[in-house]
Amino acid sequence: MIIPHTHNSSSIVRVRFAPSPTGPLHLGGIRTALYNYLFAKKYGGTFLLRIEDTDRKRFVPNSESYILETLKWCQIEPDEGVGYGGDHSPYYQSQRGEIYRVYIKKLLEEGHAYYAFDTDQELHVKRKEFHDRGFTFSYNADFRMHLNNSLTMTRKQLSDQLNSCSSYVIRFKIQPGEKLKMHDIIRGNIVVHTDHLDDKILLKSDGVATYHLANTIDDHLMKITHVIRGEEWLPSMSLHLLLYRALGWIPPKFAHLPLILRNDGKGKLSKRNIESLNFPIYPLQWKDPETKNIITGYRELGYFPEAFVNMLALLGWSPGGKKEIFSLKELINFFSLEKITKSGVFFNISKANWFNKQYLKKKKEEILSYLYKKLKKRSLFYEEDYLSKVIHLTIDRVHFVHEIWKHSFYFFISPSSYEKKFFHKICDQRIIDQLEFWKISLSNINQFTSVHLRLFLFFQTKKNEKKRHQIMQLLRIALVGELKGSDLFIILEMIGKKESIRRIDNLMKKIKEKINNGNGFF
RNA sequence: GGCCCAUUCGUCUAUUGGUUAGGACAUCAGGUUUUCAUCCUGGAAAGAGGGGUUCGAUUCCCCUAUGGGCUACCA
């Protein structure tokens, strides 16, 4: 009988998002956080945030606040960890050195780790030598007995070496000859032979633990049940499993997420060379503390966090079925690690825009307040009813709140210019005569409603469709400035008789000016 | 080079041995419309290749190819 993968109260889910503070989060990072969050919430578990700052050289100021702000904006805030407290502090790896030291000592004593004194330079030379001869150098069982480490020393030699203050690292001793059988929730069974592994450094010469060690110890101590991380970590899963075993701990379950790939050429998404990408990769604007360059984010571009999260959730995961719009609650409800895709994914900005549009349709309030602000700047005031009508008439044309103005300005102000090509064509005395005729006709209409106006104009031109077409284009240019926009008669009704006539006058004036100036030249 | 992972329309994906291989975005055509956009209808568009297993493979296995990751005293 197959026992399904279930989670109950006896196995409380605890997951972590563990970024390193080397700059802003990108699409891939935030998606990893999202999946961790969804998984935790689905099983009533805990989502914790740990900062993996074991590499001091790569530290970038403001990264942490950026990460915190991003999670907040996406509404996937941690329950525990940096910025949220908890029983397992500190949540910065840089503050956990004492803890790591305890376990390093244990590994050393039990023969799972050893001191190594080879310098960076020596190893570099060795690697190059091997490479030139067509071989691969690996610090492993084949070579460690020929290198400068505690395995090749007597006790005395070792203590002398250590006392002489020469710098050293501590390496993990991999036992060769084993077929390691592992399981990944997304990928299934994976087998790696330990012969292919090398003796990874656990403690760097500056006394700081490497990611591998810190990560393993922290995940255990913080009672992490599921490690959900990017696929770039898949090759280290064997190392981590071996570390759990050496420390006598039960490992968590692993799920390695497919990578988000660059669609401009090669490689995984990263913070490098983002200029060549045709889409933004940061959720929030990032100001580089060194260069002061500002790189825009999805928030600044006008994406709603809900749309952003929805889009991201479906990039590498699908619950099946045809539904695509999911609230965060629904995402939590439908989420499952098993349904995450295995292959790398390409990001599609037009789909992201489509998602935003779906959410925009439900956000009339936000557009309303945006219009209010926009109008207030011009000292214009309109009734909410009027604004609502405008929004109703134009919302289908936009993907973002800020786009509403360029599609609705003509309900509030006269066009500031006329479409050049068309305007050029209508610079003619006959056009002025026509406009004059329609201006008078319109001013004589008492019921200035779209229904009446439509009837009137259609009646007037019932024998000449071409003419109707032409006059409507003329009026549209007068009202909007270009051959675009909402229903002409509705615009007329909305802005009213007085304003309509004023705009027709404006156009006539501009045509006259053009005719007069033009004559001087030709 | 070594090790690992992956491979369904252009993109995101559904379909876990029997389907006309479904949907969404994008794209194209037609319709609606005074215009643009929307909207509606429709089209084109996919199982990398080769071997097996099987009555039958997109689905299972192997090989090749391609893509990706890792191969640091980076995470």
Side-chain angles (χ1 to χ4, degrees):
Chain A
M1 183 182 144
I2 296 167
I3 299 163
H5 193 72
T6 55
H7 304 271
N8 51 40
S9 54
S10 67
S11 65
I12 296 158
V13 167
R14 284 174 63 83
V15 295
R16 86 293 195 282
F17 177 52
S20 57
T22 55
L25 243 36
H26 63 60
L27 251 24
I30 190 69
R31 192 195 58 176
T32 301
L34 210 212
Y35 286 177
N36 271 283
Y37 173 88
L38 294 177
F39 184 71
K41 293 301 144 187
K42 183 175 179 82
Y43 296 106
T46 304
F47 172 50
L48 81 83
L49 174 68
R50 185 172 70 220
I51 298 288
E52 311 228 318
D53 52 352
T54 50
D55 187 359
R56 291 157 180 175
K57 292 185 287 289
R58 292 212 306 158
F59 178 81
V60 175
N62 301 332
S63 305
E64 186 188 313
S65 58
Y66 184 96
I67 292 164
L68 254 13
E69 204 185 333
T70 298
L71 297 178
K72 209 167 196 168
W73 182 65
C74 293
Q75 294 174 52
I76 53 170
E77 288 190 74
D79 305 296
E80 184 181 325
V82 170
Y84 296 86
D87 300 335
H88 301 273
S89 62
Y91 292 96
Y92 293 93
Q93 290 189 330
S94 59
Q95 294 172 16
R96 298 173 66 82
E98 287 310 306
I99 298 169
Y100 305 143
R101 213 159 288 278
V102 172
Y103 295 101
I104 273 285
K105 198 168 164 244
K106 182 171 143 77
L107 289 170
L108 241 19
E109 282 168 1
E110 293 175 4
H112 291 299
Y114 60 91
Y115 296 92
F117 301 94
D118 323 81
T119 66
D120 219 359
Q121 189 57 238
E122 284 164 4
L123 293 176
H124 183 76
V125 168
K126 206 135 224 151
R127 284 201 181 92
K128 194 172 181 320
E129 269 175 27
F130 270 68
H131 181 80
D132 291 347
R133 282 187 285 150
F135 297 101
T136 307
F137 172 78
S138 181
Y139 210 117
N140 61 14
D142 288 339
F143 300 109
R144 63 187 168 220
M145 297 315 285
H146 307 286
L147 292 155
N148 188 12
N149 56 52
S150 59
L151 299 172
T152 61
M153 293 173 175
T154 62
R155 256 184 188 298
K156 174 82 171 65
Q157 282 173 316
L158 176 60
S159 65
D160 285 352
Q161 182 80 268
L162 289 172
N163 287 334
S164 75
C165 284
S166 67
S167 78
Y168 63 86
V169 298
I170 291 173
R171 287 182 182 270
F172 188 56
K173 192 175 167 190
I174 298 274
Q175 291 295 354
E178 185 189 354
K179 256 183 163 177
L180 245 189
K181 289 183 186 132
M182 305 174 286
H183 186 264
D184 181 276
I185 297 171
I186 297 168
R187 281 148 221 285
N189 294 325
I190 297 167
V191 179
V192 172
H193 203 104
T194 56
D195 288 6
H196 298 303
L197 270 27
D198 63 341
D199 294 350
K200 279 272 177 302
I201 290 172
L202 300 178
L203 196 78
K204 295 181 269 189
S205 59
D206 61 2
V208 180
T210 59
Y211 168 83
H212 300 295
L213 208 232
N215 176 269
T216 301
I217 293 173
D218 290 348
D219 282 346
H220 173 75
L221 259 27
M222 295 180 185
K223 299 188 163 54
I224 298 302
T225 56
H226 297 74
V227 170
I228 304 166
R229 52 165 34 162
E231 196 191 333
E232 71 264 34
W233 295 111
L234 196 55
S236 336
M237 178 161 67
S238 41
L239 198 223
H240 298 169
L241 250 15
L242 255 16
L243 270 168
Y244 280 102
R245 188 203 279 172
L247 289 161
W249 297 336
I250 296 167
K253 293 190 167 66
F254 290 90
H256 289 92
L257 272 20
L259 263 18
I260 299 178
L261 273 10
R262 301 176 67 94
N263 61 181
D264 67 330
K266 284 163 190 273
K268 64 170 176 173
L269 204 62
S270 74
K271 293 161 196 166
R272 301 179 59 163
N273 303 110
I274 59 172
E275 314 80 41
S276 65
L277 249 27
N278 52 9
F279 60 89
I281 68 164
Y282 295 144
L284 272 39
Q285 171 181 294
W286 171 254
K287 185 177 178 186
D288 192 300
E290 254 182 49
T291 64
K292 306 286 177 208
N293 280 346
I294 290 178
I295 303 167
T296 191
Y298 283 86
R299 180 178 64 182
E300 289 70 25
L301 289 167
Y303 289 84
F304 295 116
E306 303 94 314
F308 180 73
V309 164
N310 192 158
M311 172 274 293
L312 218 48
L314 260 33
L315 198 63
W317 169 76
S318 157
K322 291 174 184 174
K323 186 174 162 68
E324 290 197 279
I325 301 300
F326 297 96
S327 67
L328 195 57
K329 263 195 178 158
E330 289 172 317
L331 288 174
I332 291 166
N333 189 240
F334 288 114
F335 191 72
S336 93
L337 290 175
E338 288 81 359
K339 291 216 134 198
I340 289 173
T341 352
K342 295 180 176 72
S343 51
V345 294
F346 290 102
F347 180 73
N348 184 200
I349 191 73
S350 49
K351 185 89 185 227
N353 294 344
W354 176 82
F355 270 109
N356 211 62
K357 185 169 185 154
Q358 305 313 305
Y359 281 84
L360 184 73
K361 285 180 187 169
K362 298 180 239 163
K363 300 251 186 185
K364 299 217 169 82
E365 287 301 307
E366 298 211 13
I367 305 175
L368 192 69
S369 67
Y370 178 85
L371 272 183
Y372 259 129
K373 267 187 250 161
K374 198 86 189 173
L375 292 166
K376 201 174 170 191
K377 270 189 200 159
R378 294 168 180 265
S379 302
L380 294 170
F381 298 93
Y382 285 86
E383 295 290 322
E384 189 175 324
D385 252 17
Y386 187 83
L387 296 183
S388 293
K389 265 187 210 156
V390 170
I391 291 167
H392 175 76
L393 289 166
T394 52
I395 194 165
D396 282 336
R397 297 165 182 275
V398 299
H399 287 83
F400 300 95
V401 171
H402 60 80
E403 287 178 338
I404 198 76
W405 181 252
K406 90 175 169 209
H407 291 280
S408 67
F409 70 91
Y410 51 83
F411 286 109
F412 311 107
I413 57 170
S414 313
S416 55
S417 65
Y418 300 111
E419 192 182 294
K420 260 193 189 158
K421 214 172 154 190
F422 189 81
F423 180 71
H424 197 75
K425 274 199 290 189
I426 58 171
C427 286
D428 193 295
Q429 184 55 45
R430 280 170 300 180
I431 300 288
I432 295 176
D433 297 342
Q434 272 186 48
L435 284 168
E436 185 63 31
F437 170 80
W438 287 101
K439 189 184 114 183
I440 293 165
S441 304
L442 290 180
S443 59
N444 286 331
I445 293 178
N446 291 324
Q447 276 181 292
F448 209 77
T449 64
S450 62
V451 177
H452 281 90
L453 290 162
R454 193 186 308 273
L455 279 172
F456 175 74
L457 194 135
F458 272 60
F459 181 76
Q460 289 284 321
T461 57
K462 69 180 171 190
K463 286 184 187 148
N464 192 342
E465 256 191 65
K466 205 174 160 189
K467 178 148 192 185
R468 178 193 302 161
H469 188 81
Q470 188 220 349
I471 189 62
M472 288 179 82
Q473 279 193 320
L474 268 180
L475 290 175
R476 178 171 291 282
I477 284 292
L479 302 183
V480 180
E482 33 183 0
L483 297 171
K484 289 178 185 170
S486 297
D487 184 286
L488 184 68
F489 303 103
I490 290 179
I491 300 174
L492 284 165
E493 178 187 325
M494 292 278 286
I495 66 177
K497 190 196 276 187
K498 208 174 140 196
E499 173 67 11
S500 298
I501 287 174
R502 204 178 64 80
R503 289 192 194 180
I504 294 168
D505 266 333
N506 271 349
L507 179 61
M508 287 164 66
K509 214 169 83 191
K510 281 281 173 340
I511 295 174
K512 278 179 196 160
E513 279 173 22
K514 172 79 181 171
I515 291 173
N516 293 336
N517 289 342
N519 284 344
F521 285 98
F522 297 104

